[in-house]
Amino acid sequence: MPESPGVVTLDKLVSLCKRRGFIFQNSEVYGGLGSSWDYGPIGVELKRNLKELWWKDNVYRRNDIVGLDAAILMHPKVWEASGHLEGFSDPMTECKQCNHRFRSDHLDASTTSCPDCGGELTEPRQFNLMFKTFIGPAEDTANTVFLRPETAQGMFVNFQNVLNSSRKKLPFGIAQIGKSFRNEITRGNFIFRTREFEQMEIEFFVRPGTDEEWHKWWSRNRFDWYTRFGIRVENLRMREHEKDELAHYAKATTDIEYQFPWGWGELEGIANRTDFDLRRHSTYSGEDLHYFDEESGSHLTPFIIEPSGGVDRAILTFLMDSYCEESVPTNSGKLETRVVLKLHPALAPVKAAILPLSRNESLVPLSKSVLESVQSTGKWNIEFDDAQSIGRRYRRCDEIGVPYCITVDFQSLEDNQVTIRDRDSMSQIRVPIESLPTLLSEKLDG
Amino acid sequence: MPESPGVVTLDKLVSLCKRRGFIFQNSEVYGGLGSSWDYGPIGVELKRNLKELWWKDNVYRRNDIVGLDAAILMHPKVWEASGHLEGFSDPMTECKQCNHRFRSDHLDASTTSCPDCGGELTEPRQFNLMFKTFIGPAEDTANTVFLRPETAQGMFVNFQNVLNSSRKKLPFGIAQIGKSFRNEITRGNFIFRTREFEQMEIEFFVRPGTDEEWHKWWSRNRFDWYTRFGIRVENLRMREHEKDELAHYAKATTDIEYQFPWGWGELEGIANRTDFDLRRHSTYSGEDLHYFDEESGSHLTPFIIEPSGGVDRAILTFLMDSYCEESVPTNSGKLETRVVLKLHPALAPVKAAILPLSRNESLVPLSKSVLESVQSTGKWNIEFDDAQSIGRRYRRCDEIGVPYCITVDFQSLEDNQVTIRDRDSMSQIRVPIESLPTLLSEKLDG
């Protein structure tokens, strides 16, 4: 079936991502590792920009949130206290004939024979989603540790250390970005659901009684964050969890969902975790994870509001939502399709491209000196491209979302001016070379 | 034994790191996980700054290196090809009586009985240093994967994808920052040797025959990078590996070593990996990991120069080297010791602290508006501190290496000026509040 022109599909996006260096299949030369992806030269910059925006908005621009970077491997007691050892599992059934395994809650209730070969299925049993490994030379239960399935617990168990060293007062938060791992049985939709993924999480500690208000505040704040950086509001929605889908620790959860080609999917969840986590860790560790309230002169256990976003899902969302196909006239007057990622300049992986009109012995040295003048600031990821026709280079820049193409032509040799082409409007203006660093700074750093 | 005043020791540093929020013991409330550490609110900013400097110098300021961010879990064939499955192991011996294990190459050749209990030791056997885990629901050999012991292999197996999408010509490089894991038997010295650690690695692909020259160039470049950001040159040295200590893939390796309190230790290694890696992956995958050379019209396998640095070791080095104890006079004329981290401003975790002279009802609102004026730029991590005496707050700022303390006093209410105190010289100047963002930008973003 031919794909509809102008409509973004997962196939189109996966293909663009590979061709242009956003995302490659992990271990591709060995046939790949199921649903595992690597960020290429362009993708890694998008990811860096996204994480940097999140960090600066939540840590640098506020005075009530501090950062943390906890290790991936933690003491196994952490997962007893958190409830992950006991409860973080899926019901699995196995075919006795072909040994294929299935999530039993994904099969029709009446299914008794294997969807693949018709064989008989075993009774469902619980399969824990945490990856286990062994620390030290012996491979036994005593040395079993787990790859964290969420970054959150690192913030809970460090609560007292953070409080003592930062001397923050309620309400205050801890922010963390890092990898988590879940041995998911059902994966897929590109980077939407993978076993290894990155999270950006805030644990915001508040006074009991103010938690519902803060939960609303964070849900709104996080929703607006995505639209501020370009996600169309009609493609986003907030959805409250029904009582029966709430996690064991949550009093309420709001999902921010995006309209993916396969339907609405979770982009970020904002949970009201109550005082569950600090109480559990206090009980399991015997350490006092409380807060001394100077106002009342007594101890209290803060409630926690947790905005928990997926880095990879946010990247997929920004790619999907910025993808456009437009009909534009060529030099010869015919119409052709240009694919353009209309990414917010703050997210754009390459901020500007320096393009000599041709590989000419005078143009290339001048172009290199233009490159040097903007690259030496160290502020932006800048490309230099002198391969192929200028038209093809513009198309390539559009496909990776370069906001500004700077073209050096023969007139530049005489007037020391260059052309800046705006990605979205394709309009061009001519500016002096010496003004470029200031001009880009105004456009990009504002 | 009392510690010598003025001399940095590991104990002093570990204590400062915990007290001030640089580094906490991982899972401390559960007794900790051996040699595992979390970066606290101050430490995470130092780590972020360090990685950002490295990335900007090596990717943004150059036109011949692109970034990558590969997954931690890779196809197990990768580790067959790399030689890690076969060769990445230590010889271990075990006591038959107390079951303690030892690196046999660390024991005296004549040792036959356990250093701990005197029991009989087993014959040495090889113990692989890679962490294993199981992907999918079955825990068997077929599903065994490994946590990467180095980030390098992600760059080798993506060589062709990077080449095709970036269209770089030799010489060019791939840069990557990320976590690696080694199930080390011997660990310790704080964050010097841990099982989970972060690397910053460049794989620089060059024409065979130019490799020795590039190896020299990168060794020099990386040495200078550390001194540029403040490491004293007398505490650094370059050491060439002897033939018998070279890794199986290396033709030559230069270590950049730092003089730690326990002796010289590796901070970064620059290896000439020859064409070993691309050849091995070509053989094991059947994919052609070659480079088409337009000049000669033929294929060639590039040589690789690898500057491989440890993020955590660099942090330890910068902390150690910037630690100073100085005798300074108090207001009453007595001498007291101030501890100050003279970190390069680009590395400093907190760029400026806003300090109202006291918790006064007029000073605090003015101080908050000063905070707002510099914080709203989103460029810097800024602190606000109104607890305790101004002298104690200066000491705290010195201990975390804040380059500029901005004090709001009663005169500020009248002349709209504040005092900026320089961390190293302790000299103070008075400047208009409105000039602060520009002034800090000149001092910090230069």
Side-chain angles (χ1 to χ4, degrees), chain A residues 50 191 200 225-226 231 260 267 309-319:
Chain A
L50 176 81
I191 54 171
M200 34 193 195
W225 193 81
Y226 291 102
I231 303 298
F260 291 102
L267 176 57
V311 172
D312 312 270
R313 288 184 178 189
I315 287 172
L316 184 60
T317 300
F318 280 109
L319 287 173

Side-chain angles (χ1 to χ4, degrees), chain B residues 16-282:
Chain B
L16 183 146
C17 280
K18 173 169 180 178
R19 191 172 68 249
R20 294 309 188 192
F22 280 93
I23 298 166
F24 306 131
Q25 190 185 17
N26 171 269
S27 308
E28 189 179 7
V29 295
Y30 293 106
L33 191 68
S35 295
S36 178
W37 304 91
D38 295 344
Y39 288 85
I42 304 299
V44 66
E45 299 296 342
L46 174 56
K47 196 183 193 188
R48 279 170 47 80
N49 293 340
L50 176 81
K51 294 194 285 184
E52 201 60 19
L53 282 179
W54 185 89
W55 192 271
K56 286 188 170 166
D57 278 347
N58 289 302
V59 182
Y60 288 7
R61 289 183 201 272
R62 302 178 65 113
N63 194 37
D64 57 356
I65 299 186
V66 296
L68 190 83
D69 184 11
I72 289 169
L73 300 176
M74 300 178 76
H75 195 289
K77 269 270 185 188
V78 170
W79 310 113
E80 273 184 50
S82 71
H84 282 86
L85 258 184
E86 196 185 343
F88 193 61
S89 50
D90 283 336
M92 298 286 299
T93 182
E94 186 173 334
C95 171
K96 292 179 180 177
Q97 197 163 303
C98 73
N99 292 108
H100 286 183
R101 296 185 185 207
F102 309 91
R103 285 271 297 267
S104 26
D105 55 340
H106 286 182
L107 297 176
D108 198 285
S110 60
T111 306
T112 53
S113 59
C114 172
D116 286 354
C117 77
E120 193 189 345
L121 294 175
T122 62
E123 284 298 300
R125 59 190 182 92
Q126 292 300 312
F127 168 70
N128 196 292
L129 296 183
M130 288 197 293
F131 280 101
K132 69 159 82 159
T133 188
F134 310 102
I135 208 163
E139 292 183 7
D140 56 30
T141 320
N143 293 321
T144 301
V145 294
F146 302 93
L147 307 195
R148 68 179 175 201
E150 61 178 27
T151 68
Q153 301 297 326
M155 296 183 265
F156 304 143
V157 299
N158 274 305
F159 174 72
Q160 212 64 61
N161 274 331
V162 170
L163 200 58
N164 292 345
S165 61
S166 74
R167 303 168 307 158
K168 291 285 175 200
K169 308 285 174 215
L170 288 184
F172 78 94
I174 306 178
Q176 182 169 228
I177 299 178
K179 286 277 177 84
S180 293
F181 298 81
R182 295 179 188 176
N183 202 354
E184 302 274 4
I185 305 306
T186 313
R187 305 167 311 279
N189 288 329
F190 199 23
I191 54 171
F192 182 77
R193 191 184 298 279
T194 53
R195 290 183 173 117
E196 175 178 342
F197 58 101
E198 199 155 358
Q199 295 184 296
M200 36 192 196
E201 296 196 304
I202 296 168
E203 306 302 330
F204 200 75
F205 303 89
V206 305
R207 268 169 214 285
T210 66
D211 52 306
E212 294 184 11
E213 199 182 322
W214 275 112
H215 184 238
K216 276 207 200 85
W217 190 90
W218 273 110
S219 300
R220 188 77 249 164
N221 175 284
R222 293 304 304 152
F223 186 96
D224 292 345
W225 192 80
Y226 290 102
T227 61
R228 180 141 50 92
F229 293 106
I231 303 297
R232 279 165 284 189
V233 71
E234 63 268 28
N235 290 337
L236 275 186
R237 72 176 186 191
M238 281 206 254
R239 191 181 67 79
E240 301 302 318
H241 278 210
E242 302 292 333
K243 284 273 172 264
D244 61 359
E245 60 175 324
L246 284 173
H248 60 281
Y249 51 74
K251 176 176 162 182
T253 296
T254 310
D255 278 353
I256 298 173
E257 297 184 332
Y258 181 74
Q259 191 158 24
F260 291 101
W262 58 88
W264 291 95
E266 183 195 344
L267 177 56
E268 173 153 350
I270 298 97
N272 182 342
R273 297 184 74 125
T274 74
D275 56 0
F276 177 85
D277 305 283
L278 291 179
R279 281 196 189 282
R280 291 276 286 202
H281 285 299
S282 294

Side-chain angles (χ1 to χ4, degrees), chain B residues 388-430:
Chain B
Q388 301 177 314
S389 77
I390 189 74
R392 292 187 72 157
R393 281 181 277 158
Y394 281 154
R395 293 293 168 272
R396 177 174 180 276
C397 286
D398 288 344
E399 283 198 12
I400 61 173
V402 181
Y404 305 107
C405 285
I406 298 167
T407 306
V408 181
D409 55 24
F410 291 99
Q411 208 188 316
S412 308
L413 294 168
E414 285 161 30
D415 64 6
N416 264 307
Q417 300 205 339
V418 288
T419 301
I420 301 189
R421 171 186 180 268
D422 181 84
R423 176 193 67 200
D424 299 344
S425 67
M426 293 187 289
S427 65
Q428 307 196 359
I429 54 165
R430 231 172 143 74

